[in-house]
Amino acid sequence: MNTSARLALFVIAVLFAAVEMRAQESSAVRPRIVNSPVAQQQQPTTPAPAVTQPQTIEIAPSLPEIAPESQSKTAAAPLTFLTPSVIKARISDAQRMLKTRPKPTALAVPQIEFVTIAALDRETGRTHFITISKQTFLTRDAELNTTTSEGTNVTLHIIRANGVNTALTIFTPEGKSLVPLTIEYPIERGGKFLETAYYTSAHPALLSPDLVRSGQSYVRNMLDLAAKRLRDRGVPISPLLVDVAEHLCVVEHVDHERFRAEDRIALYNEIYSLFALNEVDTYRFSVSSAGAGGMVQMIPWAYNLERERHPGVGLMPDFVTGMRNHGNALQAMLLYMNDTWADLTANEEVKNALDTKIATPSELLAAGYNSNAAKLPLYLKRGGDGWRTLIPRETQMYLQIYKSFDSLVPIQSRINTDASELKINPPLPR
């Protein structure tokens, strides 16, 4: 074989070896789990920058990998704008995955120290899961650098710490926001596990005018349904009274400190957004220091009183269960307000205050719902025009919130839609 032929064969052999080596190197770095094409495009090609600030070290249960087939079929579809219906579908999907995901043997018994957050990547449509300590979750302004179940580095920041209603933000090192969908929150008492809550707070990444309108429709429709059920059971409710109740469904949940310090329209919109996001579970786990619970924040004494006065309505016998059921709770609320109004309008001091415009029906109903309605005639008699200064301070703030809400949030009066119900006795003055 001449020299030229040998040289040609040598070159061919070297080229073949190079190609084979390249193929082996490519095979060595091939991922063991193949994500969808869109998800692969979102993976950073360079390592995340090192965090120079001290990090909180938490020993949390490891997050099991979520099998690709367990994600929604539309998980790979980009979602740049989230309508209320899409948000609700994603929340439902996330809760299903939280409830059905495999748990390590060590977590067979419910843990009370950790909270798991489900967050949506709008660009890939995939849901990430993040587990952190409950202590961090309930610390205002806490910030934590961690990794999601999808292997994405994120920074989680607690905006407001408020139990299951804690609001937060989640960002990647590149500044991309993940949308918190729902949390898995263990509720305990005295160190003993009671139940697992699945709840969605009004996270900034979720809020929109459409979501607010959806929450407004939910509250109004549920109230109208409650009034109809009472009418069908022989207890008609004045439409103006239902209008006042619609105000109270928001006023009851306005934090007084935030009312003083923050944008008030934003506060009201936040509450409506909660109703849109959680619907029948909204304020399910909310209990005041006085024992008032749920959507209408009624205390056990008042609820049991209405059950005794109106046995034919069929209110649920258990207080906690009755407050967690919005339909039942709203009927109890309307019954209480109706009975309160009947008692007030039978009093001469109240009649005089209404005739002389010293007080309005909405003020008396709101004050009577927040405090002891039986004391209102005495306040009117002693205070005259200044009766509002005699009521408890909390109730004074309650009326300020009511007045603010009434001036900033337009609510269509039911009087214009069904004038026939104005014949109900005792009538509410216009």
Side-chain angles (χ1 to χ4, degrees), residues 8-64:
L9 288 173
F10 177 78
V11 171
I12 293 173
V14 171
L15 291 173
F16 180 83
V19 171
E20 185 71 13
M21 184 180 297
R22 193 159 195 168
Q24 291 178 7
E25 290 175 353
S26 175
S27 176
V29 298
R30 187 180 301 277
R32 299 174 69 180
I33 298 176
V34 181
N35 293 327
S36 63
V38 177
Q40 290 183 35
Q41 293 172 9
Q42 300 303 321
Q43 296 295 328
T45 56
T46 58
V51 179
T52 55
Q53 65 183 32
Q55 297 186 39
T56 303
I57 300 177
E58 297 182 340
I59 302 176
S62 58
L63 282 167

Side-chain angles (χ1 to χ4, degrees), residues 130-380:
I130 308 164
T131 292
I132 66 173
S133 74
K134 186 187 287 187
Q135 181 179 0
T136 299
F137 186 77
L138 296 179
T139 302
R140 180 180 178 180
D141 287 330
E143 194 162 288
L144 175 69
N145 297 295
T146 187
T147 304
T148 74
S149 60
E150 298 286 307
T152 301
N153 295 325
V154 295
T155 297
L156 187 148
H157 178 78
I158 304 298
I159 301 173
R160 291 183 303 276
N162 186 22
V164 299
N165 197 21
T166 293
L168 52 89
T169 59
I170 306 170
F171 285 93
T172 68
E174 297 77 24
K176 182 171 66 175
S177 171
L178 299 186
V179 181
L181 289 174
T182 192
I183 62 164
E184 184 178 66
Y185 185 100
I187 295 178
E188 51 86 19
R189 184 176 300 156
K192 294 184 178 180
F193 172 80
L194 296 180
E195 62 179 312
T196 300
Y198 295 92
Y199 204 78
T200 303
S201 186
H203 307 291
L206 287 171
L207 303 185
S208 71
D210 286 342
L211 197 66
V212 173
R213 285 189 287 270
S214 179
Q216 290 172 333
S217 296
Y218 176 80
V219 173
R220 189 173 184 88
N221 291 339
M222 290 297 292
L223 265 169
D224 287 341
L225 180 60
K228 180 181 182 303
R229 286 174 174 170
L230 289 176
R231 184 170 62 247
D232 292 344
R233 292 178 172 90
V235 187
I237 305 293
S238 165
L240 182 55
L241 189 150
V242 184
D243 286 348
V244 174
E246 188 171 353
H247 286 67
L248 298 186
C249 285
V250 174
V251 174
E252 276 291 332
H253 301 286
V254 176
D255 180 88
H256 291 189
E257 292 301 320
R258 293 184 65 191
F259 177 78
R260 294 187 183 98
E262 299 181 25
D263 181 89
R264 293 171 181 179
I265 293 181
L267 282 177
Y268 308 144
N269 288 345
E270 180 184 309
I271 293 170
Y272 276 130
S273 297
L274 286 174
F275 279 114
L277 292 167
N278 298 282
E279 293 191 335
V280 296
D281 288 328
T282 312
Y283 297 113
R284 175 183 176 89
F285 308 100
S286 174
V287 179
S288 74
S289 57
M295 176 183 185
V296 305
Q297 291 292 290
M298 182 175 284
I299 59 176
W301 172 86
Y303 183 74
N304 292 329
L305 176 65
E306 295 310 316
R307 285 191 63 240
E308 294 175 2
R309 284 184 171 182
H310 305 277
V313 170
L315 294 176
M316 294 178 176
D318 181 68
F319 170 73
V320 174
T321 304
M323 286 295 99
R324 289 183 170 186
N325 183 297
H326 285 185
N328 181 85
L330 288 170
Q331 289 183 70
M333 179 190 204
L334 292 175
L335 287 172
Y336 181 80
M337 293 175 68
N338 198 48
D339 290 345
T340 297
W341 183 250
D343 293 341
L344 287 174
T345 53
N347 184 279
E348 291 301 322
E349 291 294 338
V350 173
K351 289 180 181 178
N352 179 66
L354 291 170
D355 290 340
T356 58
K357 310 298 183 183
I358 289 176
T360 66
S362 59
E363 281 182 307
L364 295 177
L365 282 165
Y369 194 80
N370 180 254
S371 59
N372 189 345
K375 292 185 178 181
L376 287 175
L378 179 61
Y379 297 142
L380 291 167

